[in-house]
Amino acid sequence: MLGFRQMSWSSAEAQAPSEQLCEGVAAVVAARQGMETPLTAVAEAFEELVRGMDADGGELRVAPFSDTCALVSVLFSSLGMAFRFAEMEYVTKVNDLIGAGKSYRTLSDILDKDIQNDCVKKQGSHSRNLRRVRLGLGLIKALFEQFLATEGSLYDAATIAYGQVCAPFHSWAIRKAVGAGMYTLPTREQLVVRLNETEADEEIH
């Protein structure tokens, strides 16, 4: 795999110490340091994932999916303390899927097994963790869509994205804490610098 340009990743690492990344996720992230920017790598990884699905008749393999999701953890890191709660949960769930990739070939295999064992909604099950990972991906997707769709602040984009994706599942206390944390978000300019991109590049990715 190609690696990220060191500048973009060094800034992310400064905000998210290595001990906060689970072993599996940290290994995936470390393997791609050196050349690409985070957004470039994430975009290319998802494109590869789509090509793999097409080749496998629409099935999504656990290993490449979880590796691709691991790369998204750095986008959470670029947002600073405001989304640290989401980053930590996301990383933990992705790490679980990385481990599951050693026993299961596709995401369908995971779901079928958990359905068979009647543990789809059980805390700690692979299926439940997969749902949390999808929620994290949805949050990042919505945030960057809002970021690019308007000239407003990152605070505005993040507030709308959180309200659409995560707030319906969180208690009042959590929503209140997240709202307070939003004020620590970087500016638009700071985020672009942290990702080592221009806004034009971000829109393409």
Side-chain angles (χ1 to χ4, degrees):
M1 290 187 290
L2 296 175
F4 300 118
R5 283 201 291 271
Q6 190 64 34
M7 173 184 165
S8 56
W9 279 98
S10 60
S11 62
E13 287 171 347
Q15 300 167 54
S18 58
E19 62 266 25
Q20 292 186 1
L21 288 178
C22 294
E23 183 178 351
V25 173
V28 173
V29 169
R32 298 192 70 147
Q33 289 182 344
M35 292 175 60
E36 295 169 317
T37 64
L39 278 179
T40 298
V42 168
E44 291 182 354
F46 274 103
E47 289 173 356
E48 292 174 9
L49 206 57
V50 171
R51 288 193 290 270
M53 284 184 63
D54 291 340
D56 288 335
E59 289 287 352
L60 191 52
R61 297 193 183 191
V62 179
F65 173 76
S66 55
D67 284 356
T68 299
C69 291
L71 300 177
V72 178
S73 66
V74 179
L75 302 185
F76 276 110
S77 296
S78 69
L79 300 172
M81 290 299 297
F83 281 88
R84 186 56 50 83
F85 77 98
E87 177 191 359
M88 294 177 67
E89 180 179 49
Y90 177 84
V91 166
T92 300
K93 307 312 182 190
V94 171
N95 198 66
D96 174 75
L97 294 181
I98 290 175
K102 299 174 183 178
S103 303
Y104 298 91
R105 180 176 177 272
T106 69
L107 296 183
S108 294
D109 293 338
I110 288 178
L111 296 174
D112 290 343
K113 187 66 174 180
D114 282 353
I115 290 172
Q116 179 183 336
N117 293 333
D118 193 26
C119 63
V120 170
K121 297 182 179 181
K122 183 179 179 181
Q123 186 171 358
S125 71
H126 297 315
S127 295
R128 184 181 173 92
N129 288 340
L130 174 60
R131 183 177 181 278
R132 296 298 180 88
V133 169
R134 287 186 60 191
L135 199 65
L137 292 175
L139 177 61
I140 287 294
K141 177 177 181 289
L143 190 153
F144 275 90
E145 285 177 345
Q146 289 294 327
F147 180 80
L148 295 170
T150 70
E151 294 298 324
S153 66
L154 182 58
Y155 171 88
D156 293 334
T159 299
I160 293 172
Y162 174 77
Q164 291 176 343
V165 179
C166 296
F169 303 100
H170 288 169
S171 66
W172 178 87
I174 293 177
R175 294 197 302 270
K176 191 74 172 178
V178 171
M182 292 289 189
Y183 291 100
T184 67
L185 283 166
T187 64
R188 292 181 69 97
E189 294 75 16
Q190 288 171 334
L191 178 63
V192 170
V193 169
R194 288 180 183 184
L195 294 175
N196 199 21
E197 302 275 4
T198 65
E199 287 203 35
D201 289 335
E202 288 186 348
E203 184 168 0
I204 292 171
H205 299 318

